[in-house]
Amino acid sequence: MARLSDPITILKGVGPTKAKQFANLNIFTLGDLICHFPRGYEDRTQLITIDQLEADVPACFKAVVMNTPRTNRIRKGLDLTKVQIADHTARLTVTFFNNRFAAENLQYGKEYVFYGALSGDFGGYGMTNPVFEALDSPPVTTRRVLPIYPLTAGLTNAAILKAVRQALAVCDVPEEILPESVRRAFGILPAERAYYAIHEPTSMAEAEMAKKRLIFEEFFVFSAGLALLRASRAQKTVESYVNLNMQPFYASLPFALTGAQRRAIDEIVKDFRSGAPMNRLVQGDVGSGKTMVAAAAAYCAVGNGKQAALMAPTEILAEQHFSSLSRLFAPMGIRMALLTGSMTPKQKREVREALVSGTVDFAVGTHALLSDSTEFADLGLVITDEQHRFGVAQRSRLSAKGTDPHLLVMSATPIPRTLALLMYGDLEVSIINELPPGREPVDTFLVNESYRPRINAFIRKQVAEGHQCFVVCPAVEESEDLGMKSATVWAETLEKTVFPDLRIALLHGQMKAGEKEAAMASFARGEADVLVATTVIEVGVDVPNATLMVIEDADRFGLSQLHQLRGRVGRGGSKSFCILTSHNRNPDTLQRLKALCKTTDGFKIAEEDLKMRGPGDFFGSRQSGLPAFRVANLSMDLQTLKDAQAASARWIDTEGTADTPEGQALRSRIAVLFDRAEGTMN
Ligand code: ADP
Ligand code: MG
């Protein structure tokens, strides 16, 4: 018996070349192969008669070969083989192109099963290139439900099918991880049967059952993992904070906090007092003032003699948080430090020394803060900003730093409930559903190229009034994908030909960290009128004087991303605008973009986005911190998700700690999954 971890090269017919092709599909082991699930099926179980065939509808039928196949060379490289076949209802002429196998194997007088569709032909109906098998041979491509696999260059469906079949024959399928009680409650196939049936279903209904089981399994593993994480954290005890007077902090702010901000802070303070480590998500639309909530939490932790750390997904954002929070905290005597990857080794060393010796109270940084070489004297609170970029694995790694620090995660992207359940199943949630007073919604317009002169005039007008503009492009450089504006080229065009009299700056992700920071800082200081940028400006950067955002080729972005970008303006007191440009004529695309013009409700937009693009692309590629689900589709399998969630919660409560084989298997599967999730961090 082979093992799931054995390489696929132990299979017959899989040499180095084939192995490389399989590698393109991320298939290296027998286990990978068995978990390479079909993307669909063709029902070839029904046998009909020739007279029942319909044009262009492929079907299976039995027929006898009525003559010896004749092959003609039409020209070099094109051989035509013709053969007559018949059943008791009709005769049919079948044509094969360049098919030696058919020419040599179809025997006069023998009965076969064919799978093909009729096509209109000069002399009536015929059939080209049907699949066939001798009636007395085992059903491989006919008389069955045929799985259709995701393919890659060089690998045919048949080749994958053959390999999968061999793998299933030589090794056991992944072990059962769903407790019997759960399977019974939800009418779920056992693992053994499901893994066979997903590849070799006897009927479409069985294929469906298998798929349902595997989707359920994926959701179950993930949500059980989150539930375990949550349960294990809940068991921990930490010292309660006693110094909870927030008044000095509130008094130092230049504005009054909104009711929603105060509520979130109260919830955090309650967590600090509870004696268990906090695990809280603060979710609020862009511009709702999450930073102040984070600051309040840090203030409280430091006031109780602990260190706090705030982690941002980009250097720019880390630097901005650092400078704005320093302004707030330095006068209070709170000692701050910045730690980012691009600092010199010497600078980093100094900061790390200060952190471990306790001479820094509050550190702001990128995930350099997470690295093993960063240690804290007494880390009490970890905050992550724009949390969707940090996966579950990072969260658990974070809480492993120090002695069970409180964890506060902040997300600006309103997450559809479905996804929130999955991503944040281990967290309590505070929602900031209120914008600071005086914010007007950003007026948003969708226009095509004919509006270019008006856009330019509008930019000019904003600048003349002393304001600044963002122009966001989907690409950095001139790309092969023509028709997609590149920031580099567009900045040059604006500078040289459109606005020679204005100050144009450029910012994109391929610039060095220092350059990015300099460009952003200088724009924030008002030293440029127009900042041409890529989506690097998506997160967090605050330029209250910017009142206009033009997003070029807006159809290239996801709705949530556009909403997020749009949140970069309208942060000061002045009326702000967002102009989406698009050459796209697809009515659905335009409809989607128009929806964005009409609503400023991030949650609605997010639901729409999830429906359109699925969770994988929801946050841009691979940034959700979610594991890649193989079978499940979050927008379609909502009910299964809910079932799995309920089942895993019940399981944790009742038998979660019992030492059953399924329990052990489940726990090790969770470990693998969360480990893999870590790999998806940007
Ligand atoms: P986000 O939730 O998107 O992270 P920020 O924390 O960056 O939002 O806040 C956006 C802007 O609103 C900042 O300039 C911040 O100083 C300001 N702000 C935050 N809270 C308030 C408030 N209660 N009243 C007025 N302005 C506020
Ligand atoms: Mg923010």
Coordinates of all heavy atoms in Angstrom, one line a residue, residues 372-422:
D372 N 10.9 36.6 14.8 CA 11.4 36.0 16.1 C 12.4 36.8 16.8 O 12.5 36.7 18.0 CB 12.0 34.6 15.7 CG 10.9 33.6 15.3 OD1 9.7 33.9 15.7 OD2 11.2 32.7 14.5
S373 N 13.1 37.6 16.0 CA 14.1 38.4 16.7 C 13.6 39.6 17.5 O 14.3 40.3 18.1 CB 15.2 38.9 15.7 OG 14.5 39.4 14.5
T374 N 12.3 39.9 17.3 CA 11.7 41.0 18.1 C 11.1 40.4 19.4 O 10.2 39.6 19.4 CB 10.6 41.7 17.3 OG1 11.1 41.9 16.0 CG2 10.2 43.0 17.9
E375 N 11.7 40.9 20.5 CA 11.1 40.5 21.8 C 10.8 41.7 22.6 O 11.3 42.8 22.4 CB 12.2 39.7 22.6 CG 12.3 38.2 22.1 CD 13.4 37.5 22.8 OE1 13.5 37.6 24.0 OE2 14.2 36.9 22.1
F376 N 9.8 41.5 23.5 CA 9.3 42.6 24.3 C 9.6 42.3 25.8 O 9.6 41.2 26.2 CB 7.8 42.8 24.1 CG 7.5 43.3 22.7 CD1 7.4 42.4 21.6 CD2 7.2 44.6 22.4 CE1 7.0 42.8 20.3 CE2 6.9 45.0 21.2 CZ 6.8 44.1 20.1
A377 N 9.7 43.4 26.5 CA 9.9 43.2 28.0 C 8.6 42.7 28.6 O 8.6 41.8 29.3 CB 10.3 44.5 28.6
D378 N 7.5 43.4 28.2 CA 6.2 43.0 28.8 C 5.1 43.4 27.8 O 4.4 44.4 28.1 CB 6.1 43.7 30.2 CG 4.9 43.1 30.9 OD1 4.2 42.1 30.4 OD2 4.6 43.6 32.0
L379 N 4.9 42.6 26.8 CA 3.9 43.0 25.8 C 2.5 42.6 26.2 O 2.2 41.5 26.5 CB 4.2 42.2 24.5 CG 3.3 42.5 23.3 CD1 3.4 44.0 22.8 CD2 3.7 41.6 22.1
G380 N 1.7 43.7 26.3 CA 0.4 43.4 26.9 C -0.7 43.5 25.8 O -1.8 43.0 26.0
L381 N -0.4 44.2 24.7 CA -1.5 44.4 23.7 C -0.9 44.4 22.3 O 0.1 45.1 22.1 CB -2.1 45.8 24.0 CG -3.1 46.3 22.9 CD1 -4.3 45.5 22.8 CD2 -3.4 47.8 23.2
V382 N -1.5 43.7 21.5 CA -1.1 43.7 20.0 C -2.3 44.1 19.2 O -3.4 43.6 19.3 CB -0.6 42.3 19.6 CG1 -0.4 42.3 18.1 CG2 0.6 41.8 20.3
I383 N -2.0 45.2 18.4 CA -3.1 45.7 17.5 C -2.6 45.4 16.1 O -1.5 45.7 15.7 CB -3.3 47.2 17.7 CG1 -3.5 47.5 19.2 CG2 -4.4 47.7 16.9 CD1 -3.3 49.0 19.6
T384 N -3.5 44.9 15.3 CA -3.2 44.9 13.8 C -4.2 45.8 13.1 O -5.4 45.7 13.3 CB -3.2 43.5 13.3 OG1 -4.6 43.0 13.2 CG2 -2.4 42.5 14.1
D385 N -3.7 46.6 12.2 CA -4.6 47.4 11.4 C -4.8 46.8 10.1 O -3.9 46.1 9.6 CB -3.9 48.8 11.3 CG -4.9 49.9 10.8 OD1 -6.1 49.6 10.8 OD2 -4.4 50.9 10.3
E386 N -6.0 47.1 9.5 CA -6.3 46.5 8.2 C -6.1 45.0 8.2 O -5.3 44.5 7.4 CB -5.5 47.2 7.1 CG -5.6 48.7 7.1 CD -7.0 49.2 6.8 OE1 -7.8 48.4 6.4 OE2 -7.2 50.4 7.2
Q387 N -6.7 44.4 9.1 CA -6.4 43.0 9.5 C -6.6 42.0 8.4 O -6.0 40.9 8.5 CB -7.3 42.7 10.8 CG -8.0 41.4 10.8 CD -7.0 40.3 11.1 OE1 -5.9 40.5 11.6 NE2 -7.3 39.1 10.7
H388 N -7.4 42.3 7.4 CA -7.7 41.2 6.5 C -6.4 40.7 5.8 O -6.4 39.7 5.2 CB -8.7 41.6 5.4 CG -8.3 42.7 4.6 ND1 -8.6 44.0 4.8 CD2 -7.5 42.8 3.5 CE1 -8.1 44.8 3.9 NE2 -7.4 44.1 3.1
R389 N -5.4 41.5 5.9 CA -4.1 41.0 5.3 C -3.3 40.1 6.3 O -2.3 39.5 5.9 CB -3.2 42.2 5.0 CG -4.0 43.2 4.3 CD -3.2 43.7 3.1 NE -4.1 44.5 2.2 CZ -3.7 45.1 1.2 NH1 -2.4 45.0 0.8 NH2 -4.5 45.8 0.4
F390 N -3.8 40.0 7.5 CA -3.2 39.0 8.4 C -4.1 37.8 8.6 O -5.2 38.0 9.0 CB -2.9 39.7 9.7 CG -1.9 40.8 9.7 CD1 -2.3 42.1 9.8 CD2 -0.5 40.5 9.5 CE1 -1.4 43.1 9.7 CE2 0.4 41.5 9.4 CZ 0.0 42.8 9.5
G391 N -3.6 36.7 8.3 CA -4.4 35.5 8.5 C -4.5 35.0 9.9 O -3.9 35.6 10.8
V392 N -5.3 34.0 10.0 CA -5.5 33.4 11.3 C -4.2 32.9 11.9 O -3.9 33.1 13.1 CB -6.4 32.1 11.2 CG1 -6.6 31.5 12.5 CG2 -7.7 32.5 10.5
A393 N -3.3 32.4 11.1 CA -2.0 31.9 11.6 C -1.2 33.0 12.2 O -0.6 32.9 13.2 CB -1.2 31.3 10.4
Q394 N -1.2 34.2 11.6 CA -0.5 35.4 12.2 C -1.1 35.7 13.5 O -0.4 36.1 14.4 CB -0.6 36.6 11.3 CG 0.3 36.6 10.1 CD -0.2 35.6 9.0 OE1 -1.3 35.6 8.7 NE2 0.7 34.8 8.5
R395 N -2.5 35.6 13.6 CA -3.1 36.0 14.8 C -2.6 35.0 15.9 O -2.3 35.5 17.0 CB -4.6 35.8 14.7 CG -5.2 36.9 13.9 CD -6.6 37.2 14.3 NE -7.6 36.2 13.9 CZ -8.2 36.1 12.8 NH1 -7.9 36.8 11.7 NH2 -9.1 35.2 12.6
S396 N -2.6 33.7 15.6 CA -2.2 32.8 16.7 C -0.7 33.0 17.0 O -0.3 32.9 18.1 CB -2.5 31.4 16.4 OG -2.1 31.0 15.1
R397 N 0.1 33.4 16.0 CA 1.5 33.6 16.2 C 1.7 34.8 17.1 O 2.5 34.9 18.0 CB 2.2 33.8 14.9 CG 3.7 33.7 15.0 CD 4.3 32.8 14.0 NE 4.2 33.3 12.6 CZ 5.1 34.0 12.0 NH1 6.2 34.3 12.6 NH2 4.9 34.4 10.8
L398 N 0.9 35.8 16.8 CA 0.9 37.1 17.6 C 0.6 36.8 19.1 O 1.4 37.3 20.0 CB -0.1 38.0 17.1 CG 0.3 39.0 16.0 CD1 -0.9 39.8 15.6 CD2 1.4 39.9 16.6
S399 N -0.4 36.0 19.3 CA -0.7 35.8 20.7 C 0.3 35.0 21.4 O 0.4 35.0 22.6 CB -2.1 35.2 20.9 OG -2.7 34.9 19.7
A400 N 1.1 34.3 20.6 CA 2.2 33.5 21.2 C 3.3 34.4 21.7 O 4.2 34.0 22.5 CB 2.7 32.5 20.3
K401 N 3.4 35.7 21.2 CA 4.4 36.6 21.6 C 4.1 37.1 23.0 O 2.9 37.4 23.3 CB 4.5 37.8 20.7 CG 5.3 37.5 19.5 CD 6.1 38.8 19.1 CE 7.1 38.4 18.0 NZ 8.3 37.8 18.5
G402 N 5.1 37.3 23.9 CA 4.8 37.8 25.2 C 3.9 36.7 25.9 O 3.8 35.6 25.5
T403 N 3.3 37.1 27.0 CA 2.5 36.2 27.7 C 1.0 36.5 27.5 O 0.5 37.4 28.1 CB 2.8 36.3 29.2 OG1 2.9 37.6 29.6 CG2 4.1 35.6 29.6
D404 N 0.5 35.9 26.5 CA -0.9 36.0 26.1 C -1.4 37.5 26.1 O -2.2 38.0 26.9 CB -1.8 35.3 27.1 CG -1.6 33.8 27.1 OD1 -1.4 33.3 26.0 OD2 -1.5 33.2 28.2
P405 N -0.8 38.3 25.2 CA -1.2 39.7 25.1 C -2.7 39.8 24.6 O -3.2 38.9 24.0 CB -0.3 40.2 24.0 CG 0.1 39.1 23.1 CD 0.1 37.9 24.1
H406 N -3.3 40.9 25.0 CA -4.6 41.2 24.4 C -4.4 41.4 22.9 O -3.4 42.0 22.5 CB -5.1 42.5 25.1 CG -5.4 42.3 26.5 ND1 -6.5 41.5 27.0 CD2 -4.8 42.8 27.6 CE1 -6.5 41.5 28.3 NE2 -5.5 42.3 28.7
L407 N -5.4 41.0 22.2 CA -5.3 41.1 20.7 C -6.5 42.0 20.2 O -7.7 41.7 20.5 CB -5.4 39.7 20.1 CG -5.2 39.6 18.6 CD1 -3.8 40.1 18.3 CD2 -5.3 38.1 18.2
L408 N -6.1 43.0 19.4 CA -7.2 43.9 18.9 C -6.9 44.0 17.4 O -5.8 44.4 17.0 CB -7.1 45.3 19.5 CG -8.1 46.3 19.0 CD1 -9.5 45.9 19.4 CD2 -7.7 47.7 19.6
V409 N -7.8 43.6 16.6 CA -7.6 43.7 15.1 C -8.6 44.6 14.5 O -9.8 44.7 14.9 CB -7.7 42.3 14.4 CG1 -6.7 41.3 14.9 CG2 -9.1 41.7 14.6
M410 N -8.1 45.4 13.6 CA -9.0 46.5 13.0 C -9.1 46.2 11.5 O -8.1 46.0 10.8 CB -8.4 47.8 13.2 CG -8.1 48.1 14.7 SD -7.8 49.8 15.0 CE -6.2 49.9 14.2
S411 N -10.3 46.3 11.0 CA -10.5 46.1 9.6 C -11.4 47.2 9.0 O -12.5 47.4 9.6 CB -11.1 44.7 9.3 OG -11.5 44.7 8.0
A412 N -11.0 47.8 8.0 CA -11.8 48.8 7.3 C -12.7 48.2 6.3 O -13.6 48.8 5.9 CB -10.8 49.8 6.6
T413 N -12.3 47.0 5.8 CA -13.1 46.4 4.8 C -14.3 45.8 5.4 O -14.2 44.9 6.2 CB -12.3 45.4 4.0 OG1 -11.1 45.9 3.8 CG2 -13.0 45.0 2.8
P414 N -15.5 46.3 5.1 CA -16.7 45.7 5.7 C -16.7 44.3 5.1 O -16.7 44.1 3.9 CB -17.8 46.6 5.2 CG -17.2 47.8 4.7 CD -15.8 47.4 4.3
I415 N -16.8 43.3 6.0 CA -16.8 42.0 5.5 C -18.2 41.4 5.5 O -18.9 41.6 6.5 CB -16.0 41.1 6.5 CG1 -14.7 41.8 7.0 CG2 -15.7 39.7 5.9 CD1 -13.6 41.6 6.1
P416 N -18.6 40.9 4.4 CA -19.9 40.2 4.4 C -20.0 39.2 5.5 O -19.0 38.6 5.8 CB -20.0 39.5 3.0 CG -18.9 40.2 2.2 CD -17.9 40.7 3.1
R417 N -21.2 39.0 6.0 CA -21.3 38.2 7.2 C -20.7 36.8 7.0 O -20.1 36.2 7.9 CB -22.8 38.1 7.6 CG -23.2 39.0 8.7 CD -24.6 38.8 9.2 NE -24.7 37.4 9.6 CZ -24.3 36.9 10.8 NH1 -23.6 37.8 11.6 NH2 -24.4 35.7 11.2
T418 N -21.0 36.2 5.8 CA -20.5 34.9 5.5 C -19.0 34.8 5.8 O -18.5 33.9 6.4 CB -20.6 34.6 4.0 OG1 -21.6 35.5 3.4 CG2 -20.9 33.2 3.7
L419 N -18.3 35.8 5.2 CA -16.9 35.7 5.2 C -16.4 36.1 6.6 O -15.4 35.5 7.1 CB -16.4 36.8 4.2 CG -15.1 36.5 3.5 CD1 -15.1 35.1 3.0 CD2 -14.9 37.5 2.4
A420 N -17.1 37.0 7.3 CA -16.7 37.4 8.6 C -16.7 36.2 9.6 O -15.9 36.0 10.4 CB -17.6 38.5 9.1
L421 N -17.8 35.4 9.4 CA -17.9 34.2 10.2 C -16.7 33.3 10.1 O -16.2 32.7 11.0 CB -19.1 33.4 9.8 CG -20.5 33.8 10.3 CD1 -21.6 33.0 9.6 CD2 -20.5 33.7 11.8
L422 N -16.2 33.2 8.9 CA -15.1 32.3 8.6 C -13.8 32.9 9.0 O -13.0 32.3 9.6 CB -15.0 32.1 7.1 CG -15.5 30.8 6.5 CD1 -15.0 30.7 5.1 CD2 -15.0 29.6 7.3

